């Protein structure tokens, strides 16, 4: 009965439509199909852009790249507006298809069967132009599709931004009511707030920092905790036993990577305590027999998993490599523990630190300082730099991303509410940076 009513209603509407109106509806259908095509593909393209792609987009000054970066600054609102737009365009396509598929086109089919046929054709069009074609194209070429669709996605964003924000806020309220929160940074900030408010009387500042370190421990990657290769003191395998003893005595470390030619060819690790029984041997002693096998790990491994590997293999030292097998740095058990308890100083560590808080709006940091550590010193949220950073983990890496080239000493880089001033740099390494923040952020 219901299908018969829809069929009779659509037949009546089609019969009464003038020819000019039919042309307008055809154009409207094509526009709706085109917008659905762009929106559906953009869902895949925009959210498939990785950190390296974002770095490339920041380096380019094209209007399309600026639109993409601007839209991605509000990802939740962007996806909400896309979903609302897709829903509107799908409904519009279904209605227009039912209006435009006239009875005379199907003389042998009448009644409810004609209504079902119209629905099948509409669904086929929606699947082809709203799912298969755009999403396959966007999955294979996300950057190119994002460039092509950025203008239309931007228009869709402003057209459906308001209803999208309503749906986003409703979703957020439902997640909070159900106890669901998928944002890691938000959870960590909530933990920080709870620790700061509930334990102010009974817990010292050091104990609070340890508790925060434990809370964040499961989300820390090796890349964040490791020592970069520029800070690695390695041993060339070709040196003599006398030179080896001199190097170990000078560096005051207990473990050293051993390499052939360069740090990208590490063949093992030598422990200083393994040398003790042989200190009185001659200078031509073959110390290479004391080299322990290397333990290689990837930079994106979680330190929580690395700690388990250390415990299982009874080792305290690992070599961090990138996706191409090059050496990124090293990480030790001490580096892992420092992520929980903070910096561990021994008698050989330098006491002076260049990380200085000048006032509430100006700070001086080492270039190698991790961004999350800088945020702690500035007493700001960990994600405060998310809008301008890519895959950088240190202050120096962030500056290089913003500059696009190696900056000069004294050069200022302005990014949103932050001003970065290069204070010291030598041998292609940024060693000291001043960060000034806008007053309204504090």
């Amino acid at each position: 009965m219901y299908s018969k009513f829809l069929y009779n209603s659509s037949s009546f509407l089609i019969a009464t439509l003038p020819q000019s109106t039919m042309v307008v509806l055809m154009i409207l259908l094509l526009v709706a199909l085109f917008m659905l095509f762009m929106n559906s593909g953009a869902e895949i393209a925009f959210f498939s852009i990785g950190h390296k792609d974002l770095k490339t987009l920041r380096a380019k000054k094209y209007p399309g790249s600026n639109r993409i970066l601007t839209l991605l600054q509000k990802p939740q609102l962007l996806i909400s507006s896309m979903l609302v737009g897709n829903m509107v365009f799908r409904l519009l396509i279904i209605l227009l298809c039912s209006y435009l598929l006239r009875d005379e086109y199907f003389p042998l089919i009448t009644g409810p069967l004609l209504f079902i046929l119209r629905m099948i054709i509409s669904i086929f069009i929606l699947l082809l132009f709203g799912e298969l074609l755009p999403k396959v194209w966007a999955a294979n070429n996300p950057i190119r599709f994002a460039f092509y669709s950025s203008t239309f996605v931007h228009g869709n964003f402003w057209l459906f931004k308001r209803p999208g924000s309503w749906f986003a806020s409703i979703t957020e309220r439902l997640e909070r009511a159900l106890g669901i929160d998928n944002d890691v940074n938000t959870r960590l900030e909530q933990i920080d707030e709870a620790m700061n408010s509930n334990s102010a009387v009974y817990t010292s500042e050091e104990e609070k920092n340890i508790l925060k370190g434990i809370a964040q421990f499961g989300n820390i990657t090796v890349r964040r905790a490791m020592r970069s290769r520029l800070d690695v003191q390695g041993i060339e395998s070709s040196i003599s036993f006398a030179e080896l003893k001199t190097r170990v005595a000078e560096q005051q470390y207990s473990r050293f990577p051993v390499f052939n030619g360069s740090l990208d060819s590490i063949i093992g690790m030598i422990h200083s305590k393994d040398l003790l029984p042989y200190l009185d041997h001659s200078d031509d002693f073959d110390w290479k027999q004391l080299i322990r096998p290397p333990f290689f790990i990837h930079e994106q491994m979680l330190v929580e998993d690395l700690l388990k590997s250390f415990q299982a293999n009874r080792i305290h030292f690992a070599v961090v490599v990138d996706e191409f097998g090059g050496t990124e740095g090293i990480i030790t058990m001490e580096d892992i523990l420092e992520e929980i308890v903070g910096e561990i100083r021994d008698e050989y560590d330098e006491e002076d630190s260049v990380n200085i808080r000048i006032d509430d709006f100006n700070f001086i940091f080492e270039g190698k300082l991790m961004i999350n550590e800088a945020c702690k010193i500035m007493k700001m949220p960990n994600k405060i730099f998310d809008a301008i950073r890519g895959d950088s983990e240190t202050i120096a890496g962030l500056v290089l991303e913003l500059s696009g080239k190696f900056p000069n000493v004294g050069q200022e880089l302005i990014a949103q509410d932050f001003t970065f001033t290069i204070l010291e740099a030598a041998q292609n390494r940024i060693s000291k940076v001043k960060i000034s923040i806008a007053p309204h952020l504090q």
Side-chain angles (χ1 to χ4, degrees):
M1 195 73 183
Y2 177 67
S3 60
K4 185 176 181 180
F5 170 75
L6 286 176
Y7 164 74
N8 292 332
S9 300
S10 60
S11 298
F12 172 75
L13 287 170
I14 293 169
T16 56
L17 287 175
Q19 191 66 29
S20 60
T21 305
M22 291 288 292
V23 174
V24 171
L25 291 180
M26 283 291 296
I27 295 173
L28 186 59
L29 176 62
L30 293 176
V31 171
L33 279 171
F34 180 77
M35 287 300 298
L36 178 63
F37 184 93
M38 289 296 177
N39 253 8
S40 296
E43 285 183 36
I44 302 295
F46 273 71
F47 296 97
S48 297
I49 297 176
H51 290 314
K52 292 183 180 179
D53 296 326
L54 288 173
K55 181 194 275 187
T56 304
L57 291 174
R58 289 190 186 95
K60 295 180 179 179
K61 303 301 180 183
Y62 303 141
S65 61
N66 292 333
R67 274 194 299 269
I68 294 170
L69 293 172
T70 302
L71 290 168
L72 286 175
Q73 289 180 2
K74 300 178 180 178
Q76 189 173 11
L77 190 56
L78 175 62
I79 191 65
S80 298
S81 63
M82 285 181 176
L83 294 174
V84 172
N86 284 349
M87 180 179 64
V88 171
F89 294 133
R90 283 189 175 98
L91 290 174
L92 187 60
I93 290 169
I94 291 174
L95 290 174
L96 290 173
C97 284
S98 63
Y99 288 157
L100 295 173
L101 295 173
R102 308 180 68 162
D103 292 357
E104 54 264 32
Y105 299 152
F106 309 97
L108 301 179
I109 304 175
T110 58
L113 291 177
L114 183 57
F115 172 77
I116 294 173
L117 180 61
R118 285 172 177 161
M119 289 297 99
I120 292 174
I121 294 174
S122 300
I123 291 171
F124 174 78
I125 292 174
L126 289 175
L127 287 176
L128 185 62
F129 295 101
E131 294 292 333
L132 297 177
L133 291 180
K135 292 187 176 180
V136 169
W137 182 12
N140 291 327
N141 301 282
I143 295 293
R144 183 177 296 179
F145 195 99
F147 265 102
Y148 290 157
S149 63
S150 61
T151 301
F152 307 102
V153 173
H154 189 263
N156 180 88
F157 178 78
W158 288 107
L159 186 62
F160 298 107
K161 181 172 69 172
R162 184 59 60 84
S165 64
W166 293 340
F167 283 107
S169 61
I170 291 172
T171 302
E172 189 176 345
R173 291 193 189 100
L174 287 174
E175 287 180 347
R176 281 202 300 264
L178 296 173
I180 301 172
D181 192 352
N182 294 321
D183 188 348
V184 172
N185 289 325
T186 302
R187 293 201 302 271
L188 295 179
E189 287 178 10
Q190 291 171 350
I191 292 171
D192 286 353
E193 291 175 4
M195 290 176 183
N196 288 330
S197 60
N198 296 333
S199 58
V201 179
Y202 307 103
T203 310
S204 68
E205 193 65 31
E206 290 184 1
E207 290 171 332
K208 287 181 189 176
N209 290 332
I210 291 175
L211 291 173
K212 292 176 184 178
I214 294 172
Q216 298 176 11
F217 190 68
N219 301 298
I220 299 173
T221 62
V222 166
R223 180 180 174 84
R224 171 175 153 179
M226 73 178 187
R227 303 178 199 180
S228 71
R229 65 180 292 160
L230 293 176
D231 297 319
V232 174
Q233 301 295 330
I235 301 292
E236 170 64 54
S237 61
S238 61
I239 66 173
S240 66
F241 187 52
E243 291 175 311
L244 173 64
K245 290 187 290 185
T246 302
R247 290 289 304 276
V248 172
E250 288 175 350
Q251 299 300 330
Q252 302 291 345
Y253 291 119
S254 60
R255 297 171 179 85
F256 296 85
V258 181
F259 60 89
N260 283 331
S262 74
L263 283 174
D264 288 323
S265 300
I266 291 179
I267 60 173
M269 182 269 293
I270 185 92
H271 200 300
S272 58
K273 75 173 185 179
D274 294 338
L275 301 178
L276 296 178
Y278 307 96
L279 291 179
D280 57 349
H281 282 53
S282 62
D283 293 345
D284 59 354
F285 171 70
D286 185 14
W287 61 271
K288 299 179 187 63
Q289 59 183 301
L290 305 177
I291 296 176
R292 302 188 185 190
F295 183 63
F296 294 104
I297 59 170
H298 192 265
E299 59 184 347
Q300 295 302 324
M301 185 180 187
L302 294 175
V303 293
E304 182 179 24
D305 297 330
L306 177 59
L307 178 59
K308 294 176 183 176
S309 296
F310 276 177
Q311 292 172 327
N313 294 284
R314 296 186 178 183
I315 55 177
H316 288 194
F317 184 95
V319 180
V320 185
V321 297
D322 60 18
E323 57 187 315
F324 303 107
T327 300
E328 287 285 299
I330 62 171
I331 187 169
T332 65
M333 182 69 79
E334 179 180 329
D335 297 321
I336 296 176
L337 294 178
E338 283 183 344
E339 292 299 321
I340 300 176
V341 302
E343 188 173 3
I344 301 173
R345 290 186 173 273
D346 57 32
E347 63 271 25
Y348 302 113
D349 288 334
E350 297 178 1
E351 292 296 330
D352 296 332
S353 173
V354 300
N355 301 316
I356 304 171
R357 182 188 184 95
I358 301 174
D359 53 39
D360 290 341
F361 310 110
N362 296 281
F363 306 83
I364 295 177
F365 295 123
E366 289 181 286
K368 65 180 181 180
L369 184 70
M370 305 301 292
I371 292 176
N372 64 296
E373 294 297 329
C375 292
K376 289 180 183 178
I377 296 173
M378 294 189 292
K379 297 182 179 179
M380 305 193 75
N382 288 335
K383 59 182 179 180
I384 192 68
F385 292 110
D386 283 0
I388 59 175
R389 69 185 286 191
D391 56 355
S392 57
E393 297 285 347
T394 64
I395 296 296
L398 175 58
V399 169
L400 289 172
E401 282 191 329
L402 294 174
S403 175
K405 59 182 181 179
F406 194 83
N408 299 318
V409 175
Q411 182 177 344
E412 290 188 354
L413 302 170
I414 299 174
Q416 295 189 357
D417 297 312
F418 303 93
T419 301
F420 300 84
T421 306
I422 315 304
L423 299 182
E424 291 182 9
Q427 297 180 349
N428 296 331
R429 186 178 186 183
I430 299 172
S431 53
K432 190 181 293 186
V433 178
K434 178 184 176 183
I435 300 180
S436 302
I437 62 176
H440 68 84
L441 289 181
Q442 286 286 11

